[in-house]
Amino acid sequence: MSQTLRLRDNEQAQIVSGKHDENLRLVESALNVKIVPRGLDLLINGSDDAVEKACRVLQNIAALGNNLTSHDVYYAIQLVENGETTTIKDISAGTVVVTHRGRQIRPKTTGQKKYVDAILQNDIVFGIGPAGTGKTYLAMAAAIAALKKKEVERIVLTRPAVEAGEHLGFLPGDLQDKVDPYLRPLYDALYDILGQEAYQKYREKGIIEVAPLAYMRGRTLDDSFIILDEAQNSTPEQMKMFLTRLGFGSQAVVTGDITQVDLPRGKFSGLVIVQKILKDVEGIEFCYLHESDVVRHPLVQRIIQAYDAYGREAEK
């Protein structure tokens, strides 16, 4: 079967094709079709089913305009392969926040869209999923958006200072120097969204606070957006302590990957247990992201799938 897809203008044709036609090659490889660009036309050859899917993918990515990325192409193929009718444009509708460089931060997958919507609609949200699904970054973007809209007066970011096979005592410096490496991913996200100058200003005024989870004990946080990152490394006692810090006018987002627990052997993860304890509590929502929501290099998605398959075999 052959089918011709006509694009709107040269700009759209260039965006859809990608640099050196890389987007077209991705679609060809994934769907086993041949795509020949001729001016504003894309001539698609292959089996009936493959050509129909390729047309839907190309129409999907054509609607995105200048915001198109390689991940969008991969994900558009995935949506069509799974028989979903949702478009990338629908998923990415609604900017969470604009970075200091003018880049719009938007959800990129259906899982991320549900996660962002849950944050907007609930006081406590748990984002649970593998690495690269945007759990922390989107929560950070939502926190900064809430701060800019004056919905909260400050942002509190925290992580358990748990070592992944290393020991805090071996690191040089005082306690803050020792825990800073564990908080570095939070700093990086703040720099990326706010810029270093704005971040330093907020930090000096106490509007943004980044601290280890142990520092949260005994506090009540009013009018705050609180994020607990790497929550799989919190104990059940620490999780309860954190959740009961929530004051009036505040909301909390808890993120973590329950497949990467670094707690000592014999200690239970607070993130695993809290799913059973709070599953029916009104005002709390659990969002589960999957390998299909990974927005890093395509290999990351395949690595996660391989580890999951290995884990299932080991359990047998």
Side-chain angles (χ1 to χ4, degrees):
M1 179 183 177
S2 292
Q3 190 165 329
T4 301
L5 178 67
R6 167 146 290 212
L7 299 170
R8 185 182 61 244
D9 51 34
N10 286 327
E11 183 183 10
Q12 188 180 55
Q14 191 173 3
I15 291 168
V16 169
S17 297
K19 189 177 180 181
H20 306 305
D21 293 340
E22 63 181 357
N23 295 340
L24 302 184
R25 301 292 85 84
L26 283 174
V27 178
E28 284 182 332
S29 174
L31 299 177
N32 195 26
V33 294
K34 179 67 177 172
I35 304 173
V36 181
R38 290 179 179 169
L40 298 182
D41 292 335
L42 295 175
L43 183 62
I44 309 164
N45 295 296
S47 68
D48 291 4
D49 183 55
V51 168
E52 182 191 348
K53 286 180 177 178
C55 280
R56 285 169 55 199
V57 169
L58 293 167
Q59 287 166 344
N60 200 337
I61 63 177
L64 285 180
N66 290 323
N67 295 321
L68 183 66
T69 65
S70 295
H71 172 267
D72 294 324
V73 181
Y74 279 109
Y75 197 64
I77 292 167
Q78 200 170 326
L79 286 173
V80 168
E81 290 275 50
N82 293 340
E84 297 188 38
T85 56
T86 308
T87 67
I88 301 283
K89 191 172 183 180
D90 291 337
I91 292 167
S92 62
T95 302
V96 181
V97 76
V98 178
T99 71
H100 70 110
R101 293 191 183 94
R103 182 169 62 90
Q104 295 180 341
I105 298 177
R106 306 167 178 263
K108 292 179 176 290
T109 69
T110 51
Q112 288 190 351
K113 175 71 171 168
K114 290 174 184 174
Y115 179 47
V116 169
D117 289 344
I119 292 172
L120 294 174
Q121 294 163 11
N122 296 273
D123 288 335
I124 297 179
V125 172
F126 290 82
I128 300 172
T133 50
K135 305 180 299 293
T136 303
Y137 196 82
L138 286 171
M140 199 84 75
I144 292 168
L147 183 66
K148 288 183 173 181
K149 292 175 187 173
K150 301 189 184 301
E151 294 171 356
V152 296
E153 293 180 0
R154 60 177 168 165
I155 297 172
V156 179
L157 311 171
T158 185
R159 263 185 166 199
V162 174
E163 315 91 34
E166 300 173 7
H167 297 285
L168 279 171
F170 296 155
L171 296 172
D174 60 18
L175 179 61
Q176 192 61 47
D177 292 330
K178 291 175 187 290
V179 299
D180 266 357
Y182 297 95
L183 304 174
R184 177 53 53 188
L186 301 180
Y187 294 136
D188 290 344
L190 286 168
Y191 292 159
D192 189 47
I193 298 171
L194 285 172
Q196 190 162 350
E197 189 177 328
Y199 165 70
Q200 292 293 352
K201 183 180 74 174
Y202 282 134
R203 184 85 186 267
E204 287 166 9
K205 290 182 177 180
I207 294 172
I208 291 180
E209 178 184 349
V210 184
L213 180 57
Y215 287 19
M216 295 295 107
R217 189 172 296 279
R219 301 178 63 184
T220 300
L221 301 170
D222 292 326
D223 300 311
S224 303
F225 197 117
I226 315 152
I227 299 172
L228 170 58
D229 190 36
E230 296 289 337
Q232 76 275 5
N233 290 330
S234 66
T235 64
E237 295 79 13
Q238 287 176 323
M239 178 63 74
K240 181 182 177 183
M241 178 272 289
F242 171 79
L243 294 172
T244 52
R245 300 308 94 203
L246 198 69
F248 289 105
S250 293
Q251 78 176 102
V253 178
V254 179
T255 70
D257 177 3
I258 55 177
T259 68
Q260 297 195 51
V261 177
D262 298 316
L263 289 167
R265 187 180 298 274
K267 285 214 170 192
F268 294 104
S269 167
L271 185 59
V272 172
I273 292 173
V274 78
Q275 297 173 73
K276 300 173 184 175
I277 298 171
L278 301 181
K279 63 179 180 179
D280 297 320
V281 176
E282 187 178 349
I284 297 176
E285 185 164 344
F286 288 87
C287 288
Y288 296 92
L289 295 109
H290 307 281
E291 64 267 13
S292 58
D293 297 304
V294 170
V295 291
R296 292 180 183 169
H297 193 287
L299 265 178
V300 174
Q301 197 174 110
R302 295 200 285 273
I303 289 167
I304 292 167
Q305 290 170 341
Y307 268 94
D308 286 346
Y310 177 81
R312 287 193 294 271
E313 284 299 314
E315 285 176 4
K316 292 178 185 178

